[in-house]
Amino acid sequence: MGILLDVVRVDAKPDYTLFLAFENGEKRVFDMTPLMDKKPFVQLKGSPLFTKASVDYGTVVWPGNIDIAPETLYDRSLPV
């Protein structure tokens, strides 16, 4: 199990990358491309909704009750 850190800010780009800020001050980038053909993220593929990502209770969420766990974001992202 990864480190449990809340996301405090997200900036979603049209190329399916998420620029993230975590509560410990780290800034990281997460590539959503490998997940975009999988449920539930396939609903966001090719849609302007992807860039509507926001932070809710420490995790990244999208319209339509789509979210991704903060520990996944942290463990699979790269520092910037």
Side-chain angles (χ1 to χ4, degrees):
M1 185 155 153
I3 297 171
L4 297 176
L5 292 170
D6 284 347
V7 176
V8 295
R9 194 175 73 245
V10 62
D11 184 17
K13 300 297 184 185
D15 66 352
Y16 304 125
T17 55
L18 301 175
F19 288 87
L20 305 160
F22 287 86
E23 67 180 324
N24 66 351
E26 282 189 69
K27 291 179 175 46
R28 301 177 69 89
V29 64
F30 182 86
D31 183 4
M32 290 282 299
T33 305
L35 302 175
M36 296 309 295
D37 288 323
K38 298 180 179 172
K39 289 183 179 182
F41 308 108
V42 70
Q43 299 172 54
L44 300 170
K45 190 174 183 180
S47 168
L49 287 180
F50 182 81
T51 59
K52 303 289 187 205
S54 62
V55 175
D56 191 23
Y57 294 102
T59 195
V60 175
V61 299
W62 289 269
N65 285 335
I66 299 170
D67 63 34
I68 187 166
E71 57 271 22
T72 299
L73 293 170
Y74 189 85
D75 290 345
R76 298 184 189 174
S77 62
L78 299 173
V80 289

